[in-house]
Amino acid sequence: MARRRHKKRTHLGANNGPSMPAATDLASRQPKSMVIRVGAGHVGSSVSQLVKDVRKVMEPGTASRIKERRSNKLRDYTTMAGPLGVSHLLLFSKSSTGNTNLRVALVPHGPTLHFRVERYSLCKDVRKALKRPQGGSKEYLTAPLLVMNNASSPKNSNSRSPIPKHLEDLTTTVFQSLFPTISAHSTPLSSIRRVLLLNREFPKSQVPPGNVSDAAYMFSLRHYAIIVKPTGLSRGIRKIVTAKKLSKDRNKRQNLPNLGKLNDVADYLYNSSVEGNISGSESEIETEAEVEVLETYSQKVSNAKHSVTSQGDERNGVFKNSPRAQKVAVKLAELGPRMKLRMTKIEEGVCCGKVMWHEYINKSSEEMDEMEKVWQQRREEQEARRIAKKESHKRKENDGIHPAAERVVDGQGEDEDAGDRDWDS
């Protein structure tokens, strides 16, 4: 009698099957984003290329190959964000006046940050401007390190801030939530290959009370690759070490130095006239760029006493005499793109809802209170409609009528409450 087959790869209970809640929960906690062109085909080729460059910045936690259509609406993306586990939407659009806009929204409940892209440079433009452009495929295997500078106004500043303090903290939280958190104790240094710098630009002089345009909330975005090179070595030795690492690749074997015409390897290392070698003073690297890191490799411990001693040395930060410590020089090479963002508005929901702040519209406290009452009344009405609809569905299920057969009479209420019903279920 034939033996019954047991599935071992994708079946429930397999090693890589759906019975691994730990890996699933870890993946669900990681932020995921979608970079979208709103009105595809109307934004132009430059903005379309900018969208592709921003997708590379957001890798690996983004949809790199998403295809937009002209018929797609914002509702299509927000509806699919829940099943796909998408937490952020980056929406690029172009206004009728020719301005490029960016909206950063947290789904499903908001808020939404509105920016106007004042200036931008594509990745190909940045590479053309550099003498030695860097960057490959390995840099995009891990998320970049987010560095924010001057995100909040200093407390001792006398200049008037264009945005309230709590909204500055909200903006910082939104940008920090775009990328996974980094733990200083558990995150390996080798996994940090890129840096995303977000610098807030303050006005050069104190802003007059009536001048709002100069008090803009501006951000400058830069994207860099981290290059690490060993220090304390001459250029000749460093060239041999680098060529040894690349010797496995057949296409890069030409980097090996040619020592066939030399009698001794010392002639290559100490003779400055040999090609590829320079004097010691020219090979020095700035000490400000030197840091001391630990090599990550596994090592067997002979006994428990040695293990406790080594752990105590690591906690005390004694690494100078350890053979695992190594001095390296850290440099940054720009990858692109560059963007200068100007915040124009903050909304409470996903591209809708109450306007929490606007750059060009200022309201008094009485107008803010009146607007809060209007929005509170709208929320109460929406909640009442949703409760009534749920009770109607439950009553029809008890009577044996499927909810899909229900004919919606109030089309406006269906459009307003469908999104909330999807996220709450």
Side-chain angles (χ1 to χ4, degrees), residues 6-21 24:
H6 295 278
K7 296 183 179 180
K8 298 181 180 180
R9 288 185 295 176
T10 59
H11 191 64
L12 182 64
N15 294 332
N16 59 345
S19 62
M20 300 176 63
T24 305

Side-chain angles (χ1 to χ4, degrees), residues 8 38 42 44 124 134 156 237 243 278 285 301 365 368 419:
K8 298 181 180 180
V38 179
H42 300 284
K124 60 180 182 180
Q134 301 288 337
N156 56 356
I237 297 178
I278 55 177
I285 303 177
V301 180
S365 58
M368 294 291 292

Side-chain angles (χ1 to χ4, degrees), residues 222-238:
R222 297 288 188 273
H223 185 215
Y224 299 94
I226 301 177
I227 300 177
V228 179
K229 293 183 179 180
T231 60
L233 304 176
S234 63
R235 185 176 180 181
I237 297 178
R238 191 163 63 247

